[in-house]
């Protein structure tokens, strides 16, 4: 869908530029934007490498394990139906910790693993509870392919609203574009994401009961 949206915007821009006689401006904008994208990508490379390496150090030193243990009460509150010891806990916790630390690129692989684990858990749950009433195993698998569980929906909402202690991406962008104090957004980001997370938790619990 996003490919269609961006492609449509580009085509509309080109058509508008031709129709208004501003094709040169469109060409200049494309070249300038391409240059800025490459420059930003190279500038971000060092910052990404630094924070990703820091994440690895934190994991090896036990900091991540400590943070995972610290947020375990919240995780059990959000996902009460996930069996204790299930492997989904590890991927969920890793994703939450990475998001809290502002490491979105580190959170993505853990998030994909978590969603896959939750899908397997839901499939097993459907198989055990509804196979007799729904028919064959194939019918159950087709049903699962079209349905997201409460845990999967909660995980998605919490990812969107995630608390961030260090908004690394925003700091990097501000630094790249010449901000006098790139880290000035830390306090506002903590406050904003704290309230968004509280709202997300309340929303998930209300919808889960429905």
């Amino acid at each position: 869908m996003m490919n269609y949206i961006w492609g449509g915007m580009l085509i509309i821009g080109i058509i508008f530029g031709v129709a208004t006689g501003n094709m040169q401006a469109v060409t200049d904008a494309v070249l300038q934007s391409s240059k800025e994208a490459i420059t930003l990508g190279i500038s971000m490379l060092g910052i990404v490498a630094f924070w990703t390496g820091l994440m690895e150090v934190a994991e090896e030193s036990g900091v991540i394990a400590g943070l995972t243990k610290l947020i375990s009460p919240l995780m059990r509150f959000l996902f009460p139906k996930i069996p204790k010891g299930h492997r989904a806990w590890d991927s969920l916790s890793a994703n939450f910790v990475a998001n809290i630390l502002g490491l979105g690129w580190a959170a993505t692989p853990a998030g994909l693993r978590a969603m896959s684990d939750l899908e397997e858990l839901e499939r097993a749950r459907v198989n055990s509870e509804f196979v007799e009433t729904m028919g064959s195993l194939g019918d159950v698998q087709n049903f699962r392919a079209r349905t997201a569980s409460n845990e999967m929906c909660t995980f998605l909402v919490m990812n969107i609203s995630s608390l961030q202690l260090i908004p690394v991406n925003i700091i990097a962008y501000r630094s790249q574009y010449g901000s006098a104090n790139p880290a000035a957004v830390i306090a506002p980001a903590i406050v904003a994401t704290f309230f968004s997370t509280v709202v997300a938790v309340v929303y998930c619990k209300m919808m889960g009961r429905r």
Side-chain angles (χ1 to χ4, degrees), residues 160-183:
I160 295 172
S161 63
S162 177
L163 172 68
Q164 283 196 5
L165 299 181
I166 308 173
V168 177
N169 287 343
I170 302 301
I171 292 174
Y173 292 143
R174 286 169 58 85
S175 176
Q176 169 63 22
Y177 289 108
S179 172
N181 186 6

Side-chain angles (χ1 to χ4, degrees), residues 9 11 18 31 58 75-76 95 101 114 118 135 142 149 162 170 176 202 210:
M9 292 173 62
I11 293 173
V18 172
L31 295 176
M75 300 295 290
R76 288 193 296 269
N95 175 269
L101 296 178
L118 292 176
N142 290 335
S149 65
S162 177
I170 302 301
Q176 169 63 22
V202 174
R210 291 181 59 185

Side-chain angles (χ1 to χ4, degrees), residues 59-208:
E59 185 174 0
E60 292 294 330
S61 63
V63 173
I64 300 299
L67 290 174
T68 300
K69 185 176 181 180
L70 185 65
I71 67 172
S72 58
L74 173 63
M75 300 295 290
R76 288 193 296 269
F77 175 73
L78 291 173
F79 307 100
K81 293 184 179 180
I82 298 180
K84 186 177 181 180
H86 193 276
R87 65 180 183 179
W89 286 116
D90 294 333
S91 51
L92 284 169
S93 298
N95 175 269
F96 272 59
V97 169
N99 272 324
I100 290 173
L101 296 178
L103 304 176
W105 46 81
T108 299
L112 294 174
R113 288 196 304 271
M115 193 63 76
S116 177
D117 293 340
L118 292 176
E119 182 179 3
E120 291 183 7
L121 177 63
E122 181 66 6
R123 182 179 291 116
R125 185 182 296 162
V126 170
N127 288 346
S128 62
E129 293 180 359
F130 300 113
V131 67
E132 293 183 359
T133 59
M134 293 187 63
S136 67
L137 181 61
D139 293 334
V140 175
Q141 291 174 335
N142 290 335
F143 169 80
R144 177 61 202 94
R146 299 191 301 269
T147 307
S149 65
N150 283 346
E151 289 84 2
M152 296 168 74
C153 294
T154 298
F155 175 62
L156 180 60
V157 172
M158 294 304 300
N159 258 262
I160 295 172
S161 63
S162 177
L163 172 68
Q164 283 196 5
L165 299 181
I166 308 173
V168 177
N169 287 343
I170 302 301
I171 292 174
Y173 292 143
R174 286 169 58 85
S175 176
Q176 169 63 22
Y177 289 108
S179 172
N181 186 6
V185 296
I186 291 179
I190 292 175
V191 173
T193 55
F194 171 79
F195 281 104
S196 68
T197 301
V198 171
V199 172
V201 171
V202 174
Y203 174 80
C204 289
K205 285 300 176 180
M206 290 176 58
M207 297 304 294

